Amino acid sequence: TESFRRPFQRNHPDFYDEEKLEQEMRRVFDVCHGCRACFNLCESFPTLFDMVDKSPTQELDSVPSTQFAKVVDDCTLCDMCFMVSCPYVPPHSLDIDFPHLIARYKAVENSKKQ
């Protein structure tokens, strides 16, 4: 099955909701931590994996969301994880789009500066 990318939903009412963004980041980061297919693509993945592996429970639940910015900062938005490595991109039911998630995080952060 051919993968496809869903449109960027910045006009959706939940797009800038920080609680919903954190929930989605935790969902995606948990899938990524379990899979690790993208470990060698950019520094965001080793940063994420090390952050979780060094946490008290070695699970995402013990990583404070304040540390997510490190993962975002290390992402170059090259799209390689989406285009090449991730087995969970749409149409998979897990619907993972790591670059869109990072761009959403940046948009939410930028909106707080206005």
Side-chain angles (χ1 to χ4, degrees):
T1 304
E2 186 80 22
S3 67
F4 64 89
R5 176 164 262 157
R6 297 187 192 288
F8 204 57
Q9 300 283 333
R10 64 187 178 96
N11 293 324
H12 190 280
D14 292 339
F15 185 84
Y16 291 98
D17 184 308
E18 290 184 69
E19 186 176 310
K20 292 191 176 171
L21 172 60
E22 180 182 344
Q23 289 172 358
E24 181 63 2
M25 291 187 85
R26 287 190 178 280
R27 183 188 77 82
V28 170
F29 286 3
D30 193 47
V31 171
C32 292
H33 178 253
C35 174
R36 298 182 183 233
C38 52
F39 75 95
N40 61 346
L41 296 179
C42 77
E43 281 303 306
S44 62
F45 297 105
T47 298
L48 171 62
F49 304 151
D50 288 347
M51 185 184 319
V52 176
D53 293 344
K54 293 176 182 176
S55 71
T57 64
Q58 296 184 332
E59 296 292 339
L60 195 61
D61 65 351
S62 63
V63 176
S65 59
T66 54
Q67 291 187 13
F68 293 174
K70 295 175 192 171
V71 176
V72 172
D73 291 343
D74 285 345
C75 177
T76 62
L77 293 172
C78 70
D79 231 17
M80 290 296 291
C81 56
F82 184 87
M83 300 301 289
V84 176
S85 291
C86 186
Y88 302 114
V89 298
H92 193 280
S93 62
L94 288 176
D95 196 20
I96 302 293
D97 189 335
F98 192 89
H100 269 190
L101 181 62
I102 298 302
R104 178 181 175 193
Y105 181 97
K106 289 181 178 194
V108 169
E109 290 301 305
N110 285 334
S111 75
K112 294 193 285 189
K113 296 176 185 173
Q114 297 176 356

